[in-house]
Amino acid sequence: MSRPYPDRGQNEDEILRLRKALDNVGAYVFIKDRDGRYTYVNRMVSELFGTAPEDILGSTDERFFDLSVSNDLRDHDRRVVEEAVRVEGEECNVVARSGETRYYDTVKQPLFDDDGAVAGVLGVSTDITARKRVEIALRERESLLSNILDTASVAIFLVDRDGVITHANRRMAEMFGRPLAELVGSEYVDHIHPAERDAGRERMRALLASKIAAVDLERLYLRADGSEFWGHLTGRRFQDAQGAERGLVGVIADISAAKRAIERHACVINLAMDGFLAVAADGRVRECNAALCALTGYLREEILGSSLSRFEVQESADEAAAHARRIFATGNDRFETHWRRKDGSVVEVEVTATCLRRDEEIGVFVRDITQRKAHQDELRYIASHDLLTGLPNRALLFDRMRQAVAQADRAGTLLAVCYLDLDGFKPVNDRFGHQEGDGVLIEVARRLKGCVRGDDTVARIGGDEFVLLLQGLGDTGAVDTALRRVLAAVAQPMRVGGSEVAVSASLGAALYPRDDADTDTLLRHADQAMYLAKQGGRNRFHVFDTEQDRCVRERTERQARIAQALRDHELVLHYQPQVDMRSGRVLGAEALVRWQHPQRGLLAPAEFLPAIEDSDLIVELGDWVIATALVQLEAWRRAGLDLQVSVNIAARHLLRTDFVSRLCEHLDTCPQLPRHALKLEVVETAALEDLEHVSALIRECRELGVAFAVDDFGTGYSSLSYLKALPAQVLKIDQSFVRDMLADAEDRAIVEGVIGLARVFGRTVIAEGVETAEHGAMLLALGCERAQGYGIARPMPAADLPAWVGSWRPDASWQ
């Protein structure tokens, strides 16, 4: 049975190569015996433990981890050994030698001996510290926001689009007399007084459907004990970071005291927390309370008899008068405005007017909302800005992007959407710690703001990633200048932890309207361009190319369609016979893939293979061709037709490290089929990509009994040393030389040379491209007896081959 580690008898070079490969894997790889002793570790494990591999072997986890961690690791090992199961998702945190806590995710699986018993444990650990730190940071940020909301003196809550409360602060739980856990998950309208519940539901639906912009009203609510209270509700729609409507955010202030003050009028008016004025029909103040005096700074005597408009700060006297007229015209009104105190200072107030006696007196409640407004502004700031750097966050960025796109349309100028990612930030962060790392981000933010103009935007969207919106650019030259200025500013050295360090940036830009896309797509294109800049060497910028992106998308779509064709069994194999022209014997056939396209009919390989030759889909297709050819060979053998089938192997497929093991799996599915019935063909240029690796692979395949041929021989950089090093049994002369050799002396000389080389090195030679009897006669005269081509037979479906083999006869001139 196959095993994931080398057998003792395996070639020493193979073991060294395997060890080298494992030492370069970006993960911690180790093997333990049944008692938990290490029998193998790769380089990364050695570096983690801070000692040489040979010093680790034979040790157990107790030597390297504290008791709690080592006990957990031993329990996982015991489960793998005793239950012979694979264990995934094993997470542990380890305090490194530097004092820093690192987090790891481990997968373990059993290793079996030749008798099938569990001999040990194979483990692969991955460092997930970055991901865990992000999770911790998110939890801390959520906790901070929750603490801020819980300090509010008003109830603050969120309602989803179904009317269910999804978040609420502590004040709301106190206000309604319910546990927070009971409040969250309940329907908001269930807490409204039954007399107003239907109206409340309709208001909420109208707001969610965007029929009204906001809700600002007084409403009667119910507490858990059945008691009633009046609340002033302010509600608005809110969106997530991507701009999608998520529901409503509401603020409720308990105004029961103010309501009772109106009912009791003069006897309790001075106990009200809000300012109160009774205003006559002529607009003069008849009564006021102490809270209003405290709010305005005027004595009661100074207020009585004066006009309500004396307190308002307006752009003109006309606007102040309009407020007063609206109050008296409707008898009920609510609005926010600014009042000037006696000392000249300005406060923001909420004015609520209600009719006390029809056509005679209006009651006006005035509440100082300066702190509430400041708190709301703070919440809005938190929701729209990065708390570390003070820059706009993703939500505010998209709002600014929409404005910038509209401005570019109006002005006919370029907008550059720039995606910036720091190079070398992680090592600085790991070396100096998160606090110093945050200092680097703050300094970078400061430099970026210093590089842009007043109308431009710099945003931080997470980690060490920033976005810049550069507006009003005249041409690409101005874009290049601006981007170079940004890179130069970031690259300047800075002081971190008493040391001078330097980070650089990779910058990608998408230019609107040249890239006429929506805001989401513009940012994604800038991100793609940044990735190309980072691949190009870092500390550089790259501008997104829309034409290049179109080509990439078309290629991706073609690859997806070909993958679908493979899944839907639209691909088929045709077989072109290979014969001995002199003896007239049919030697075998070459398997050639075709696409039976539902609309375009039968497509040749040139129509679709180039689109996937640089992707892993060519590997999937190659595996399918091998498996299909083997099944067909078995079917022919049962029918009495003994042939050898050649299969072309792409370079990407051949150079995979698991090629031989996958080939063995295919061969094992046809145990009755002789291994030599399969022959693999690789083009000469693919063999030259890694001659040493390909040569070793061919030798492995030959040990399995599988033959190898070099296809298109003569088209690469053939040399005697290369031919000697490559242990392929068969050379296939490229059809371009064979097809033209009757008229071109140079091509004929090449064909003759290849035949001579094959004879000297003991290789079999096959000629492709035999289109006429004259081609076959010339090849026979030059010493080549094996051939294939249209002059012998075109590729045909598998069902047609047996009849062709039975009827084929060589040309008379070849005898």
Side-chain angles (χ1 to χ4, degrees):
M1 63 186 297
S2 58
R3 296 193 244 169
Y5 57 94
D7 293 331
R8 293 192 180 91
Q10 196 171 0
N11 185 282
E12 200 66 25
D13 290 340
E14 291 294 322
I15 297 174
L16 291 175
R17 275 196 296 273
L18 178 58
R19 288 181 179 274
K20 183 176 180 181
L22 291 177
D23 281 341
N24 286 280
V25 169
Y28 305 84
V29 182
F30 57 86
I31 296 176
K32 299 179 184 178
D33 63 17
R34 290 179 60 89
D35 297 319
R37 292 186 295 269
Y38 286 94
T39 61
Y40 168 79
V41 295
N42 71 346
R43 174 180 56 81
M44 288 190 65
V45 176
S46 175
E47 293 174 356
L48 175 67
F49 289 166
T51 185
E54 55 269 23
D55 190 39
I56 299 173
L57 302 185
S59 302
T60 61
D61 288 322
E62 285 80 1
R63 176 182 171 189
F64 306 104
F65 303 102
D66 62 35
L67 183 59
S68 175
V69 173
S70 60
N71 284 341
D72 289 342
L73 297 177
R74 187 170 60 250
D75 289 342
H76 284 283
D77 290 346
R78 185 179 298 114
R79 183 183 172 199
V80 173
V81 170
E82 293 177 359
E83 301 179 19
V85 294
R86 174 187 175 96
V87 174
E88 298 182 2
E90 175 188 344
E91 288 189 12
C92 70
N93 57 299
V94 178
V95 179
R97 296 189 303 277
S98 64
E100 177 189 23
T101 299
R102 309 291 298 180
Y103 301 86
Y104 300 90
D105 180 79
T106 302
V107 176
K108 293 179 179 179
Q109 67 179 39
L111 296 177
F112 299 95
D113 60 20
D114 292 335
D115 296 325
V118 177
V121 176
L122 168 65
V124 179
S125 294
T126 306
D127 191 331
I128 59 171
T129 303
R131 189 189 76 196
K132 296 295 287 187
R133 287 174 178 166
V134 169
E135 294 174 356
I136 293 170
L138 286 175
R139 287 196 297 270
E140 292 175 348
R141 188 166 180 174
E142 291 175 357
S143 176
L144 173 62
L145 183 58
S146 177
N147 288 334
I148 293 173
L149 292 175
D150 282 340
T151 62
S153 61
V154 293
I156 302 174
F157 63 100
L158 300 180
V159 173
D160 66 18
R161 296 188 62 82
D162 295 322
V164 175
I165 299 173
T166 58
H167 294 82
N169 68 346
R170 185 177 298 123
R171 176 62 184 129
M172 187 170 185
E174 295 169 352
M175 188 179 293
F176 285 83
R178 298 180 182 275
L180 196 58
E182 177 183 322
L183 201 59
V184 174
S186 65
E187 288 197 51
Y188 161 74
V189 294
D190 288 345
H191 305 290
I192 301 176
H193 191 279
E196 298 189 16
R197 192 166 293 165
D198 290 339
R201 182 178 287 106
E202 290 305 314
R203 282 263 187 175
M204 183 176 66
R205 289 173 178 170
L207 184 56
L208 287 170
S210 304
K211 294 182 179 178
I212 56 175
V215 169
D216 193 339
L217 47 82
E218 293 176 5
R219 173 155 287 148
L220 192 59
Y221 292 96
L222 285 178
R223 297 187 181 92
D225 60 4
S227 61
E228 305 170 355
F229 72 95
W230 280 95
H232 172 224
L233 169 68
T234 303
R236 297 181 184 276
R237 295 186 301 278
F238 77 98
Q239 301 172 330
D240 62 16
Q242 285 71 43
E245 294 284 350
R246 296 298 302 275
L248 306 177
V249 57
V251 177
I252 300 175
D254 188 341
I255 59 170
S256 299
K259 284 289 187 179
R260 286 192 299 270
I262 294 175
E263 295 168 357
R264 296 170 186 173
H265 200 41
C267 64
V268 294
I269 194 170
N270 280 324
L271 299 177
M273 298 295 294
D274 295 336
F276 174 80
L277 304 99
V279 183
D282 61 2
R284 299 295 174 179
V285 177
R286 289 183 178 180
E287 187 60 75
C288 69
N289 66 351
L292 186 78
C293 296
L295 174 65
T296 63
Y298 289 98
L299 297 174
R300 182 172 181 272
E301 292 75 15
E302 295 175 303
I303 297 174
L304 297 180
S306 65
S307 172
L308 182 64
S309 61
R310 72 175 293 180
F311 305 113
E312 291 199 357
V313 178
Q314 294 287 355
E315 294 293 331
S316 68
D318 290 341
E319 293 183 5
H323 271 159
R325 285 196 301 271
R326 189 165 68 245
I327 291 175
F328 287 104
T330 63
N332 290 280
D333 197 14
R334 183 192 299 275
F335 58 89
E336 294 177 1
T337 186
H338 291 83
W339 275 18
R340 191 179 303 279
R341 294 164 50 86
K342 185 177 181 179
D343 61 8
S345 62
V346 176
V347 293
E348 195 166 0
V349 296
E350 179 185 75
V351 177
T352 303
T354 187
C355 180
L356 298 179
R357 289 192 295 271
R358 184 176 297 278
D359 301 327
E360 293 185 14
E361 193 172 59
I362 300 293
V364 179
F365 293 88
V366 184
R367 173 173 296 178
D368 184 349
I369 59 172
T370 305
Q371 290 186 348
R372 189 182 86 188
K373 281 290 189 179
H375 189 62
Q376 290 174 343
D377 290 343
E378 181 181 3
L379 290 177
R380 283 193 290 269
Y381 181 87
I382 291 173
S384 61
H385 287 77
D386 172 52
L387 295 182
L388 176 64
T389 63
L391 296 176
N393 61 12
R394 186 181 291 269
L396 183 54
L397 169 67
F398 276 99
D399 182 63
R400 297 274 182 89
M401 284 181 70
R402 285 187 285 270
Q403 297 177 31
V405 166
Q407 175 62 25
D409 288 337
R410 288 192 298 269
T413 56
L414 286 177
L415 164 66
V417 179
C418 310
Y419 201 113
L420 183 148
D421 183 85
L422 295 181
D423 305 323
F425 173 71
K426 185 178 184 302
V428 172
N429 201 39
D430 291 344
R431 176 184 174 189
F432 296 102
H434 294 299
Q435 185 173 357
E436 298 292 350
D438 288 347
V440 171
L441 295 175
I442 293 170
E443 173 61 17
V444 169
R446 186 191 66 79
R447 295 182 183 185
L448 293 177
K449 287 192 290 186
C451 290
V452 302
R453 298 165 297 180
D455 292 339
D456 298 332
T457 296
V458 179
R460 178 177 178 234
I461 60 174
D464 58 349
E465 297 175 331
F466 299 82
V467 173
L468 295 82
L469 305 180
L470 307 181
Q471 301 188 69
L473 299 171
D475 52 32
T476 55
V479 174
D480 291 353
T481 299
L483 298 185
R484 288 191 176 94
R485 183 170 64 247
V486 170
L487 292 179
V490 175
Q492 291 296 316
M494 64 182 75
R495 302 293 298 181
V496 177
S499 302
E500 186 176 87
V501 299
V503 295
S504 61
S506 295
L507 190 58
L511 303 183
Y512 179 87
R514 295 189 177 187
D515 184 356
D516 189 13
D518 57 36
T519 53
D520 288 335
T521 305
L522 283 172
L523 189 60
R524 177 168 54 81
H525 287 173
D527 186 15
Q528 293 173 6
M530 180 278 294
Y531 180 72
L532 292 176
K534 194 174 287 288
Q535 281 189 322
R538 304 186 175 187
N539 194 28
R540 61 183 65 201
F541 68 85
H542 183 84
V543 178
F544 181 82
D545 187 332
T546 53
E547 178 61 25
Q548 183 184 54
D549 179 65
R550 184 188 64 79
C551 294
V552 170
R553 282 188 284 106
E554 286 182 355
R555 185 178 182 87
T556 301
E557 290 170 1
R558 290 187 65 194
Q559 289 177 352
R561 179 61 185 91
I562 296 169
Q564 184 66 39
L566 185 57
R567 290 192 295 271
D568 292 347
H569 309 292
E570 295 175 6
L571 300 182
V572 296
L573 290 185
H574 282 198
Y575 297 86
Q576 185 174 38
Q578 296 173 339
V579 302
D580 186 317
M581 295 182 292
R582 191 175 302 279
S583 68
R585 186 163 58 95
V586 179
L587 305 173
E590 180 178 0
L592 300 169
V593 66
R594 298 287 188 267
W595 184 356
Q596 189 64 56
H597 197 283
Q599 287 81 39
R600 299 173 59 193
L602 192 66
L603 302 182
E607 294 281 340
F608 57 93
L609 287 187
I612 64 171
E613 60 188 2
D614 294 328
S615 73
D616 285 339
L617 184 55
I618 196 71
V619 178
E620 185 179 350
L621 176 61
D623 280 341
W624 175 83
V625 171
I626 292 174
T628 305
L630 288 172
V631 171
Q632 185 59 60
L633 273 169
E634 271 201 329
W636 281 333
R637 285 183 62 83
R638 288 194 299 270
L641 185 61
D642 187 6
L643 295 175
Q644 183 182 57
V645 168
S646 301
V647 171
N648 293 285
I649 302 299
R652 189 182 186 92
H653 190 182
L654 183 69
L655 295 176
R656 283 179 62 105
T657 57
D658 61 347
F659 177 81
V660 175
S661 62
R662 292 162 72 99
L663 177 62
C664 288
E665 292 175 3
H666 288 305
L667 293 170
D668 289 343
T669 62
C670 302
Q672 304 303 319
L673 189 68
R675 300 291 177 87
H676 63 76
L678 178 66
K679 180 169 65 178
L680 302 180
E681 293 188 7
V682 57
V683 296
E684 180 183 356
T685 50
L688 288 174
E689 285 189 30
D690 189 342
L691 183 59
E692 181 181 354
H693 174 77
V694 173
S695 297
L697 187 146
I698 291 176
R699 279 192 284 271
E700 284 189 74
C701 291
R702 290 185 62 176
E703 290 176 3
L704 294 173
V706 176
F708 242 96
V710 178
D711 199 5
D712 297 344
F713 190 81
T715 59
Y717 301 95
S718 307
S719 68
L720 295 178
S721 59
Y722 148 70
L723 187 58
K724 181 179 179 181
L726 197 65
Q729 302 102 310
V730 180
L731 303 181
K732 297 188 72 175
I733 307 174
D734 186 68
Q735 58 182 318
S736 62
F737 302 127
V738 175
R739 187 182 300 112
D740 297 333
M741 69 178 181
L742 296 177
D744 191 318
E746 291 183 354
D747 285 344
R748 185 167 60 253
I750 291 174
V751 172
E752 188 173 9
V754 173
I755 295 170
L757 284 174
R759 185 181 299 115
V760 169
F761 284 96
R763 306 289 200 270
T764 301
V765 64
I766 297 178
E768 296 182 297
V770 175
E771 297 185 349
T772 65
E774 289 77 10
H775 284 108
M778 174 65 75
L779 288 168
L780 287 169
L782 295 176
C784 176
E785 299 177 349
R786 302 186 176 206
Q788 69 182 88
Y790 284 4
I792 299 169
R794 290 178 176 272
M796 63 189 73
D800 297 346
L801 188 65
W804 183 90
V805 172
S807 63
W808 183 74
R809 300 293 181 270
D811 190 86
S813 64
W814 298 349
Q815 300 303 305

